[in-house]
Every structure is written in C-alpha cells, then in structure tokens.
Amino acid sequence: MTVVQPRKGDRRWKAPARLAGRTAKWIYAAIGVVLTLVAFYNLVLPAFQGPERMTGDLNVAVAALAGTDDDEARGFSESLYRTLDDELGRADTGLDIQVRGPDSIGRIDGESAAERAASARRLARDIDADVVVYGSLEATDTGTQLRPEYWLSETKLRHPEDRVPVMGAVTVPDEPAGGQQLGAISVSGDIEALAPARARLRAQLARRTRAFAFFILGLGYYAEALGADAGSGAASALGRAERWFRAAERGDSWDPRVGAVLHLFEGNVALLQRRLPDAEAEYRIALRFDPGYVRAQLGAAETRFHRSAGDCEPRRVDRAGLAEAARGYAAVLASTDREPSVLGAKAAFGAGRVEVCRVIAGVGGSVATAGRRFQDIIAMWRGGFRPVLSQASEAYGGLGLLHLLRAEQGGGRREYQRAVDEYTEALKLSVAAQRRGIFHGVLGYLYARMHDEPAARREYDRAMRLDPERRAAYLREQRSLLD
C-alpha cells in the first residue's frame, strides 16, 4: 500500500498545520490565564482579603495613626510599631509573640471612639489578633496631642471554666462600648516645625508604649495562670504576671482610667497568690482612680471575706469584716441587677458564702438567704446564660453544703441524699480537675455518713486521682470514717 504525503499548498497539508497553530495558541492562552490567576492570587486578592491571619501565642497589630498630617502620623505609627516589636521581642517570655505594623495592618477608621473600637474589633477577629493598637495625632490650639488607643480581643485567652475572655475584663469604667485609651500625650509647639517638640512626643510615646507592652505580657501570663491546674504551673505564671504588671506600673504615669485597670489586675494576682493585704491595697488604689469601678469593688469584697472568714470558726471569724464584705457584694449586685452577668453571679455567690460562714460560726447568718443567692445563679444558668458555668457549679455545691449542714443538725439520711444530688449537679458543670477532686471528696464523706462504704471508697479514690495535693487529707478522712 502506498502512502501519499501531502505537498505544501495542498489542502490536505494545510489542515494539520492550522491545527498545530491553534494548539500553540491554546497553550499560550492557558499559560497566560495561569499567570494572571497567580498574579491575582498573590497581588490583587490580598488587597481585598486584608492582612493574613496571625499565628502566634500573643498577636499584636499596630495600625496607622490617623492625623491631620499623614507624613507625621505615618512616622509616629512606625515609631509605635518598632517600640512594641522591640520590647516584646526582647522580653524573656517563652511565648511566640508576633507584632505586625502599619504597612500590613492599615488604618482604623471611625469618627468616634466607639466606631474605631468596632473597626478594631472586626480586624482582631479577622486576623486573630489579641491586641490592636491605633489612635490619632491631632493639632491643638497650643500644640499637638497624640491619642493612642487599643482594643483587646474577645476571642482568645478565655477562662478555662466559664469561657469568659480574660481580656474582656479590661474595660474602661463607664465606657463599655468604646475602645480603651492609653492616655493622651500632649506637647506644646508645632511638631512639624519644632524638632524638640517632635522628639519629646516620640519619647513619651515610646515610654507609654513600652509600659503597655509590659501590661500585655502580664495579661498573657495571667491568662496562662487561670488555664493551669493549681500548683507550680499556675504559681510560676502568676509570678511572671506580677513581674510584668509591676514593670508596666513603673514604666509610665497612667491615665486614671487605665490605672484602675492595671491595679485591678495586680490585685487579682495578689488575691490568687493569697497575699491578701497586698490585694486589698491594690483594689483600694484602683478604687481611688475610679470609685465606681465594679470589678475592683468585687475584688475588694472577696479580699475582705478571705481576711475575715477565719475558716468560719467562732473564735477566728471577724464579724465586722464579714459585714464589710457583705456590703461590698451588695454594692456589686446593685450595679449588675439589670441583666445576667458574670460579675453579678460572682457577687451573688460571695453574698451567699458570707451567710453560710456566719451560720457555721454561729454569729448569725441566714440559710434561706444563702439558698436564694445560690438559686439566683442557677436560674441564670438554666435561663441560657452560659458564661456563669463556673459560678453555677459552685452554687450547686453551696446548696449541697446547706443540705449537709441540715443533715448534721439532725436532718438524717434524706438531707444527706439531697446534698449528694446537689454535689452531683456541681460535678456535671465543673471542668477544673482540682475542683472536681474536692467535690468527689465531699461525696465520699456524704456516702460514708450514709453507710454506703463502696460508694464512699469510690468517691475518695476519684478525689485522690484528681486532686493529688490533698491525697493525704482524703486518705486520713477515708480511714477515720470507714476503717
């Protein structure tokens, strides 16, 4: 068979040639499309998507300052970023700290503090930032004023039990909807014309930012301490939190509103460390900054209770101190009774605990009043207010203690069983290992009093596994009741 090859110019030759040309064009077009998509993905799309998400243990975003002079505002923004990046980078923390500057973050816009705070909140959510620093640089009649502001994220660093954001506690008193201010910095003279004025303003900004960086580090360790089981881990984190809060306090003369927040956290650390006189002093300073600061009022009431309770023993209890604690809790309740709140739940539990302590010590007190306070917290939980998880667990435990007191006063097996039921409910809501251990220990005692030896031993075994620090005490109690 003879194969006839097409000659050039023949129509049979032109067909495959045209096909080859078209194939090449398709290939070139496909390459062009791919290159265009790559360019769009790498150059155009990020502009619409905004900054990439941050991935550190502590993420700090520094936005461009707003100002009447863009060049001057840009310079101060970069100075703010470099100071934070340098201070946080050099700090011995053991944390992966990421700091991003104005070039990647952009500017936080808004006519009012609340509008800017809302923009910062959205940015923090979008890029997973724990802190957003922004603000404005404005000319005044006598010189220039710099107003650095910040937003602390509500989505990270949550309390391990009630899942309430730790940083959400940092609210400027009387301004719950707005962003927080680091305190305005003012200098006389025109910074555009006077180099000394510019230098003074930059120096003050650096000092204020450095102090704020230390405050951020303190918050990070404070959150870590709340997330750790009781013991050396929590103690170490609290020690570091105290160190950085103290450094922040020394580093600048704070705006009164921010000063109240700083001393609140110093008081919280001291209270967790059981340094009660120090805690009381810090809360007192916070209340001098702002007498109506509810969180400081609650901390002061808690401290007064712990200093006055004396393990609720008649000879050790301080009646006047308990009365003062009760007044403090009542003041917090009066400020938070409009809607369910964690602060209100904490104050209600504190008020109920004062009544129980008075009853145990034989210095007055009302079981009925204590029960109502605990029921108020449980009603918040049953009504769907999930942030009071921890307080609801403790409130069930409080009700169980009231039934235990009645049982010990002759109420018999029925009251013991009611106490078992309440402590069982408390366990369902408790997530902290040590606290669960304590509840199991109480259940062991209750079953022992009900002469249910297998159940009592089972509960004591669980208590010792979950709360090894009290193992010896659980073992002694178990032997005294069952052996």
Side-chain angles (χ1 to χ4, degrees), residues 188-383:
S188 57
D190 185 353
I191 62 171
E192 296 181 33
L194 299 176
R198 184 185 296 108
R200 288 197 306 273
L201 192 56
R202 286 183 185 274
Q204 291 184 59
L205 176 61
R207 188 176 69 249
R208 183 69 52 86
T209 305
R210 186 177 300 114
F212 183 57
F214 296 156
F215 179 51
I216 293 170
L217 291 174
L219 285 176
Y221 281 113
Y222 179 78
E224 181 182 326
L226 293 182
D229 288 334
S232 59
S236 175
L238 282 174
R240 290 194 172 198
E242 181 189 12
R243 168 192 169 191
W244 291 112
F245 287 145
R246 292 292 183 190
E249 183 184 349
R250 291 191 302 268
D252 193 37
S253 177
W254 289 93
D255 177 280
R257 294 172 302 174
V258 182
V261 173
L262 178 60
H263 286 283
L264 167 75
F265 275 90
E266 290 186 286
N268 289 349
V269 168
L271 180 58
L272 290 171
Q273 293 174 326
R274 286 298 183 261
R275 296 185 292 110
L276 300 181
D278 292 338
E280 196 167 52
E282 294 298 338
Y283 292 132
R284 192 180 301 116
I285 295 172
L287 289 169
R288 276 208 305 268
F289 277 119
D290 188 333
Y293 196 10
V294 179
R295 292 181 183 277
Q297 290 174 350
L298 178 62
E302 283 284 296
T303 306
R304 176 50 57 187
F305 171 79
H306 287 293
R307 294 196 72 178
S308 306
D311 293 330
C312 303
E313 295 180 4
R315 294 183 179 180
R316 296 178 57 203
V317 73
D318 177 359
R319 297 190 187 191
L322 286 181
E324 184 180 344
R327 288 192 294 272
Y329 290 129
V332 175
L333 285 169
S335 301
T336 59
D337 63 356
R338 291 180 295 276
E339 58 185 20
S341 70
V342 175
L343 287 179
K346 289 181 176 180
F349 181 76
R353 189 175 48 185
V354 168
E355 295 300 316
V356 172
C357 189
R358 284 169 166 166
V359 170
I360 294 173
V363 294
S366 167
V367 170
T369 300
R372 284 196 298 272
R373 292 302 188 192
F374 297 147
Q375 289 288 2
D376 287 344
I377 302 168
I378 293 170
M380 290 187 201
W381 169 257
R382 289 177 175 171

